[in-house]
Amino acid sequence: MTVEHSGGGDPDRSLRLLWRDRHAEPEPARGRRPRLSLEAIVATAIRVADADGLAAASMHRVAKELGAGTMTLYSYVPAKDELIDLMVDEVLGEDPLPGPGEPRPEGWRAQIGLYSERTRQAYRRHPWLRQISMTRPALGPAIIHRQEYLLSTLAGIGLTHRQMAAAAASLATFVESNAAVEADTAYLERVTGQSADTWWHQRQVFWDDYFDQAANPTIVEVWEHDGFELGAQDAAAEAYDFGLNRLLDGIEALVSRQLP
């Protein structure tokens, strides 16, 4: 699976595109009077990636879908790197998190739960997000809004500002990494027609003929006490909930120790 990198475009060009006035008709960098819009280009690229994968959303394919020449597209978006930045920011902003002063769930844990669920929903709707590394994110409106929201959930609960930043980074990494795994699982089931449970069942021969019980006593113990009784989908959901809640418990315990 090819991995693309968010934030890989030229910073000046990407930022101008990401922070454009969304109510104004964007002008192309050169050429005749525009007959396309940046919004239409990004929407088409997202639609192609949703249907056929990120690799299919080439400049040539997007131009063809729009009935335009590839060079026409380049007058709006300089390269695929900038297009990816725009696509990522667009899909992560589809279901915005509450901004300052807007209604939100009661309590910081529930607010982080909202961040978690909306992130997972974005990956479910757009499985190609799993192919985008966010290590160096494009600093678009949706990315910054999500960071502001996540930090705001931790404000005033008793953490220092450095602890707030560290906690937000840890939570974002956990949520996005697990959302990517969930999206990859769904993608594999779609393209192979084989569920995760079926995949494991077909490898029963490993447990029968290759697995060394004496060398792996803890696996055996967990197995014998029904630790692996859930199907793959339910086990993944339980692992996700367990991990997120233990992170939140740890933050809560730290706050309790620091309070006077």
Side-chain angles (χ1 to χ4, degrees), residues 5-7 14-20 22 38 42-43 46 54 81-97 122-123 125-126 128-129 132-134 136-147:
H5 288 81
S6 178
S14 283
L15 289 170
R16 279 199 300 269
L17 292 168
L18 286 163
W19 291 91
R20 67 195 183 278
R22 295 181 179 227
L38 197 54
V42 174
I46 291 169
L54 186 61
D81 286 340
E82 285 81 14
L83 181 58
I84 287 174
D85 288 349
L86 290 163
M87 292 167 65
V88 169
D89 205 69
E90 185 69 27
V91 299
L92 290 179
E94 285 176 343
D95 194 6
L97 292 158
Y123 277 77
R125 286 192 298 262
H126 308 288
W128 50 268
L129 277 172
I132 307 291
S133 168
M134 305 289 187
R136 297 178 177 181
L139 302 176
I143 296 289
I144 296 300
H145 178 72
R146 285 165 53 81
Q147 175 73 356

Side-chain angles (χ1 to χ4, degrees), residues 54-70:
L54 186 61
S58 65
M59 299 291 277
H60 175 74
R61 170 71 182 276
V62 173
K64 184 178 179 181
E65 292 285 329
L66 288 165
T70 305

Side-chain angles (χ1 to χ4, degrees), residues 20-79:
R20 67 195 183 278
D21 179 358
R22 295 181 179 227
H23 300 291
E25 186 68 17
E27 294 289 338
R30 59 184 182 275
R32 296 186 238 175
R33 184 178 182 81
R35 66 183 184 86
L36 299 176
S37 70
L38 197 54
E39 286 73 18
I41 292 169
V42 174
T44 300
I46 291 169
R47 177 169 52 79
V48 170
D50 288 347
D52 299 323
L54 186 61
S58 65
M59 299 291 277
H60 175 74
R61 170 71 182 276
V62 173
K64 184 178 179 181
E65 292 285 329
L66 288 165
T70 305
M71 293 309 296
T72 301
L73 235 62
Y74 282 115
S75 69
Y76 289 84
V77 183

